[in-house]
Amino acid sequence: MPRKLLVALFILAIAVGVYFGFRPRRRTPVATAAAGNTATLGPAPDFTLKAISGQPLTLADYKGKVVLLDFWATWCAPCRAEIPKLVGWQKQYGPQGLQVIGISMDDSEKPVPGFVQQFGIDYPVAVGDAKLADAYGGVLGLPVTFVIGRDGQIYHKHVGGTDLPQIEEEFKQLLQK
């Protein structure tokens, strides 16, 4: 094969790699049960953590509610953008059985109380750890949001900044069950 053709193919391969490496990606759920399907992603692993309020925070205490379990961090820009919507959902849908739970993945609890106050977070918040993240299949990238049904089963998992109306539709369907 002539040397010029090899160089041209090499340059083309690099251009294709750069294009696919830097083009915007649509963020969609990593895993989700089909709409109307009763299939789940499995049971939500139970945990008990100390909430920043000082009280124990145990997932099992919320069985019978639809839970949005949100893994986030104070330094995470997409998390900061989504939290006001989560606060609004807790106010709007809490009386219907929704419970938002925030799990900060910050390295320490120190920045979390100020952040909670600044953003007006009125739902339970605790600081998570690698053990909890592993129990949920690994929390790689933030935010990671799980939509858990009244039966304690995980119905949807979203990684990264997600289409919030989609999450709202998912939990509204579970609230009707």
Side-chain angles (χ1 to χ4, degrees), residues 25-78:
R25 293 180 183 93
R26 183 172 176 242
R27 295 186 186 243
T28 58
V30 169
T32 187
N37 190 346
T38 58
T40 71
L41 303 173
D46 195 18
F47 60 84
T48 299
L49 299 169
K50 184 181 98 175
I52 62 165
S53 66
Q55 301 299 314
L57 174 58
T58 302
L59 182 62
D61 291 344
Y62 297 98
K63 193 161 186 170
K65 291 186 175 275
V66 174
V67 174
L68 286 186
L69 183 62
D70 183 50
F71 288 83
W72 58 277
T74 59
W75 47 263
C76 166

Side-chain angles (χ1 to χ4, degrees), residues 1-160:
M1 207 181 264
R3 183 178 173 104
K4 286 184 178 180
L5 181 59
L6 286 174
V7 170
L9 287 174
F10 180 73
I11 291 172
L12 179 63
I14 290 174
V16 168
V18 168
Y19 170 78
F20 284 105
F22 287 102
R23 77 173 202 210
R25 293 180 183 93
R26 183 172 176 242
R27 295 186 186 243
T28 58
V30 169
T32 187
N37 190 346
T38 58
T40 71
L41 303 173
D46 195 18
F47 60 84
T48 299
L49 299 169
K50 184 181 98 175
I52 62 165
S53 66
Q55 301 299 314
L57 174 58
T58 302
L59 182 62
D61 291 344
Y62 297 98
K63 193 161 186 170
K65 291 186 175 275
V66 174
V67 174
L68 286 186
L69 183 62
D70 183 50
F71 288 83
W72 58 277
T74 59
W75 47 263
C76 166
C79 304
R80 296 171 76 94
E82 289 181 359
I83 284 176
K85 192 67 166 174
L86 299 180
V87 170
W89 285 342
Q90 181 61 57
K91 285 181 174 66
Q92 182 178 358
Y93 296 105
Q96 297 172 40
L98 177 70
Q99 181 59 61
V100 179
I101 298 174
I103 305 295
S104 167
M105 296 305 289
D106 284 272
D107 291 334
S108 78
E109 185 178 323
K110 189 175 181 180
V112 179
F115 183 90
V116 166
Q117 184 177 10
Q118 176 188 355
F119 279 79
I121 298 174
D122 57 355
Y123 50 80
V125 172
V127 176
D129 56 21
K131 181 180 172 186
L132 179 61
D134 288 345
Y136 278 85
V139 176
L140 304 172
L142 294 172
V144 176
T145 305
F146 293 88
V147 182
I148 303 169
R150 296 178 191 274
D151 57 0
Q153 296 289 314
I154 299 172
Y155 285 85
H156 308 279
K157 175 182 179 181
H158 299 270
V159 177

